[in-house]
Structure formats: C-alpha cells, structure tokens
Amino acid sequence: MTEITLPDGQRLLDAILEQAFNSVVITDARFDHGGPLIEKCNPAFCRMTGYPAAELIGQSPRILQGPETDPAVIERLRNCLHEGRFFQGATVNYRKDGTPYNVEWNISPIRDSQGAIRHFVSLQQNITARVQAESERNLMARALNVARDPILITDAHARIVFANQAFEQLTGYESTEILGRTPKFLQSGQQADDFYSLLKDALARGQAFRATFANLRKGGDIYYADQSITPINDAGGTVRHFVSISKDVTHKVMQEQQLSEEASRDPLTGLFNRRTGERILARAHQAATTDDRPFAVLIADIDHFKQVNDQHGHASGDRVLQQVANVMKNQIRETDRAIRWGGEEFLVVLDNASKNDALSTAERIRAAVEAISDFEVGPITLSLGCGQWQPVESPEALVRRVDIALYAAKKSGRNRVQTAANGSATGPGDAVS
C-alpha cells in the first residue's frame, strides 16, 4: 500500500488558496501606514482584479475602489475592521484596466492564541452577471408595470408569479393577494361548458389561446377581457411559464349585450319577441332530445281583446297587454321564458317541466290575470292551452297541439285552461277571440 504524506500547514494553506474557486485575499491587521495591507492573494483574486500577485502584495485593497464604489459600504467595512467584527457587503470595484465589476465579499478577523487580531481573511466573488440579470429583471418588471394592458405571468403549473399594476387596477386585487394562486378564482361561471377544456387543450399542445373572458373582480362584479394566453418555453422546448395579456372590453361587451337584449325584446311588453321565442323553443327542443330535459309550452290569449281596442282605443289595449305581460313575468320561474307570440297572444316555454307543472303554472297565470281590473277596461281574463313535449315531436308540432287546446278553452267559455291532447295536432278550427 502506498503511504500518503500530508504537506505541512503552510503548504496545505498554499494549496487551498491556489485551488480555491472563490477569490481569497489575506491582509495584515495594522491600520498605520495606510494598512491593512495585502500579504497574500490567490490566482482567482488576481483573475478577478486583473492585477498580478506581485503588484498586489503590500498594497491596500483600496486600490480597487473607484467612482462608483459605495462610500457607505466602505465606512461600514472600516468600522467592522476596527471593532474586530465580521463584515459582509457588496459594491463596485475596479480592475487594473479601469473596468468596473460588482463584488460581494466577507471579511473575518484572524486572532492569535491571546485573542489579538493578526490578520483579516476576505472571500470575494464577482457578481456582475448576477447584478446585471437582476437589473434586467427589474427593468422588465418596470416596463410591464407601466404597460396599459393587464399582464399576468404564471409558472408551468399555472401558479401566478407576476401581475402588473394594470392587472391590479382591472381586478381590484393586489399582487400580494394572488401570488402563488392559480387564476381559477377569477372565473365567473358564465363561460360555455367547454370553454376551459378548449383552453387547456390549446395550451397543452403548446399553442396560444385567445378569447373573451367573463371574469370576476375582487368586489364580485363581472368584467370582460379580450385575453391571450401564450406558453413560454425554455431553450429545450419545455414550457416554463404562461403569459396572459388582456384588454378590458367590458364597456363594449355591455353595449353589445344591451343592443342584443333590445333586439330580442318586444318594445311594448318587455317580453321576448317571436323571433327570439322561436330560438328559445329550438334550444329547449335540443336540450330535450340530447340531454333528456323535458319541457312544456303554454299559449295564452286575452279574451275579447278586439273589443278592448274597438271600445277603448289602442292606448288602453296597449296598457292591458303590459298588465298581462307583467303577470307572466311574475308567475313563472327564472328558468322559464315568456314570449309575446303575436298581437294579444303569449307563449311560455317552461324548462324541465311536466304536464302537471304546465297545468299548475297556467292556472296560476289565469287566476292572477283574472284578479286584474283595469281602471278603464274593467276585468281582464285569459284563455290558455298547455302541453308537455312528447318524444320525437318537433317544436312546431308541439305548438300546434297546444294551440288547439287554447282554442278549445276559448270555445268552452274562455277564462280557463285546457290541456293539450296527446298525439298529432290537426288544426285549431274556427278562430275565436
């Protein structure tokens, strides 16, 4: 076996200094004659400063200072040395050729057996690259913060790592409240059922996703944003972050919704108009056939309405129509839809309703209208037909069946409800007002 002989203490210290990754400089502990002065430095320190060791030995480390060296840091260093305390700090030093570099260093006092300080040992590291990277990050953060559009950045797991000031202003949330959370807390529940599935699928394929989001502000009100979400990959192609850039379009969307709402409503009664009603019927039929969600239909007609117009004028007729429409609104559920089907005729689509549900609702509407007594026209009454959708029945066929029931109610004396018979519809027969 080969015997390994360790070098003596001095040789071991020299070997450590020679091979150390960090810059090491050792000074004496004298403060006269411009000290402390450098007694030893390793090659890493020479490479960092650009000075050969021969030009550093016997010099004060002050030769590395320059215009951008922080005086406050140097003053704190002097105080620590005089008081024999450990020092740690960072500032700007200068190489032999005059180029600046950022240095981070610590200094420890070395004491003899009696406790007297004989040397100072300093470990130093060039942190220029780190400072520049931090400066660039800070510059980027400042640039993002002055951007007018809300910007949100998440990590690969959708946890928020940055939100700019425009995002804070739009949502009402401060960055400190949302960092580390996923954006799920912004969801309003108003998006289509497959909206977020499409979002996840696009991002999983590495594609950007753009859509109008209906999100919640901190106070609970909804805002609308045209939002693009883009995956950011590293050099190896792995997704590391997602960047979302938004534009507040709440005012625009609200205007469009208002215009759409106005276009879908009957201006006199405020109920849905017939064109919209036909779409409502089609959607109810689709839900019934694909989701097994049955629905029912009521058709109501104001009794003797022609006489109201003939005897009291159209202004009174309009007032009666409005009174009946208000009863409709108040007597149906939020999920049901009341439609002015034409003239004095109304149609109600009852969501997820049985035949008995339809009959009960129709009777409730009839009784509520009967309780009205217009100051000029007097008592008002309705006749109604009702029926539940049957499998394989088209919306048009259901309406015809219920319409036959309505006319049966008219012929039976008015102010009553008639349930539609099962089977195919034929025709309403003679018109009855």
Side-chain angles (χ1 to χ4, degrees), residues 85-155:
R85 292 187 289 112
F86 174 81
F87 167 83
Q88 186 172 25
T91 190
V92 175
N93 274 350
Y94 290 82
R95 293 169 53 85
K96 181 180 178 180
D97 62 7
T99 57
Y101 65 95
N102 295 88
V103 63
E104 183 178 69
W105 80 108
N106 61 64
I107 302 175
S108 299
I110 305 299
R111 303 175 187 272
D112 61 18
S113 57
Q114 283 74 42
I117 297 174
R118 298 301 182 186
H119 294 87
F120 294 103
V121 176
S122 174
L123 300 179
Q124 302 191 9
Q125 185 178 3
N126 187 337
I127 59 169
T128 302
R130 189 176 82 194
V131 170
Q132 288 177 343
E134 290 176 354
S135 177
E136 290 173 1
R137 284 196 296 271
N138 290 336
L139 175 62
M140 181 63 69
R142 289 196 299 272
L144 293 176
N145 270 326
V146 298
R148 297 180 64 181
D149 291 333
I151 299 173
L152 191 71
I153 301 176
T154 74
D155 62 16

Side-chain angles (χ1 to χ4, degrees), residues 351-365:
D351 176 61
N352 198 22
S354 67
K355 187 175 182 179
N356 287 336
D357 292 333
L359 181 60
S360 175
T361 303
E363 180 56 35
R364 191 168 61 248
I365 292 172

